[in-house]
Amino acid sequence: MYHQIGEPNPKGTPYRGLTVHPSSFARQMRWMRRLGYRGLSMRDVMPYVRGERQGKVFGITFDDGYRNVHRNAMPILSELGFTATNYFVARQFDGGNVWDLQKGIPFSALMTVNEMREWAQAGNEVGSHTLDHVHLPEMTPEEARRQIVESKDELEQALGAPVTAFCYPYGDHGPEHQAMVREAGYDNATLTQRGLAAASDDPYGLPRVTVARSTNIIRFLQKCLTRYEDTRRRR
């Protein structure tokens, strides 16, 4: 799980750790390739998660659709033949992380519709992060369902292709939201909960491995290639 790939904000900035430097991202991806692993989008990795296929693969996801991911991560993914999923906020194309402003997190630009299409044309996946990056548990059931359903519809119209991956904003959700995502026609949904995804997991509640600015290469490999994350998983 990544968010931004760019120059981190100044020290003391809230959530500075969610921006990974481009050189760190490139190092992480190249090490995985060197070790024989292939990075895949949720669409491409799910057969492995379900146990339908076997291989040395790992899923790559980005939350929010930041423009710096298009600029700094997409070339590395293309160079290595990897694919990834980016979860877009359907009504913030060419906008920014407005949901973060009250927390003191600096503005960061999000992809335009054309950049989103370029992301997909490079073999990557477009996923949904709701219409407005909302806390689903704070919404009425009707509004939560609208955020889940209409974001899929709007992204599919903009992309001209199916959108089957969903990510709960902030990782916040209840079992009713997992049911809404399934009923809306998505294939899978991810959390912010730590852990390695397995066939025994609900496909609408998959854990992820957080990669932060401070994650050095040894800890990155430990997180991805050992049971380190599962020992810290909330059961």
Side-chain angles (χ1 to χ4, degrees):
M1 176 177 65
Y2 294 92
H3 284 75
Q4 301 193 54
I5 306 297
E7 289 286 342
N9 290 310
K11 289 183 179 179
T13 303
Y15 292 92
R16 177 175 183 251
L18 292 182
T19 301
V20 173
H21 195 280
S23 64
S24 296
F25 178 75
R27 184 179 306 116
Q28 292 159 4
M29 296 299 103
R30 286 174 179 147
W31 263 105
M32 292 297 280
R33 175 65 180 272
R34 192 173 297 142
L35 293 171
Y37 285 84
R38 187 159 50 105
L40 299 177
S41 65
M42 294 303 297
R43 176 182 59 215
D44 296 336
V45 84
M46 283 305 295
Y48 296 90
V49 173
R50 294 189 178 104
E52 298 164 358
R53 299 188 67 181
Q54 302 293 320
K56 294 178 71 172
V57 300
F58 66 107
I60 306 171
T61 62
F62 298 89
D63 288 11
D64 306 328
Y66 289 99
R67 182 169 290 158
N68 54 34
V69 171
H70 179 280
R71 181 173 64 247
N72 298 320
M74 195 166 74
I76 298 298
L77 296 171
S78 295
E79 172 195 322
L80 298 175
F82 289 178
T83 59
T85 298
N86 209 318
Y87 298 108
F88 290 84
V89 182
R91 293 190 176 168
Q92 277 297 323
F93 282 112
D94 203 21
N97 54 329
V98 293
W99 53 87
D100 283 335
L101 300 184
Q102 289 186 339
K103 301 175 186 175
I105 301 173
F107 178 90
S108 188
L110 301 176
M111 292 188 214
T112 64
V113 169
N114 282 338
E115 286 168 335
M116 177 269 289
R117 290 171 179 158
E118 290 171 357
W119 169 262
Q121 287 163 2
N124 300 300
E125 182 179 23
V126 170
S128 170
H129 212 30
T130 71
L131 291 170
D132 304 298
H133 202 288
V134 295
H135 280 99
L136 290 170
E138 296 179 1
M139 305 290 104
T140 64
E142 294 75 19
E143 176 60 15
R145 189 179 301 277
R146 188 180 76 87
Q147 289 279 336
I148 292 166
V149 172
E150 291 189 14
S151 60
K152 186 178 193 297
D153 293 342
E154 292 189 13
L155 288 169
E156 288 179 340
Q157 289 176 25
L159 181 63
V163 170
T164 60
F166 185 83
C167 178
Y168 306 95
Y170 311 101
D172 292 347
H173 73 293
E176 68 276 21
H177 302 115
Q178 289 181 233
M180 291 176 189
V181 172
R182 183 179 62 252
E183 291 162 6
Y186 293 96
D187 176 71
N188 58 80
T190 50
L191 313 173
T192 56
Q193 177 182 310
R194 296 173 71 167
L196 304 178
S200 57
D201 287 316
D202 184 330
Y204 297 96
L206 296 171
R208 290 185 289 175
V209 174
T210 298
V211 185
R213 181 194 64 82
S214 59
T215 304
N216 63 42
I217 192 62
I218 299 301
R219 179 52 56 87
F220 172 82
L221 295 173
Q222 183 183 32
K223 280 171 166 276
C224 293
L225 305 180
T226 74
R227 308 312 295 181
Y228 176 86
E229 288 293 301
D230 277 344
T231 63
R232 287 152 177 80
R233 184 170 181 170
R234 190 173 67 250
R235 295 293 178 181

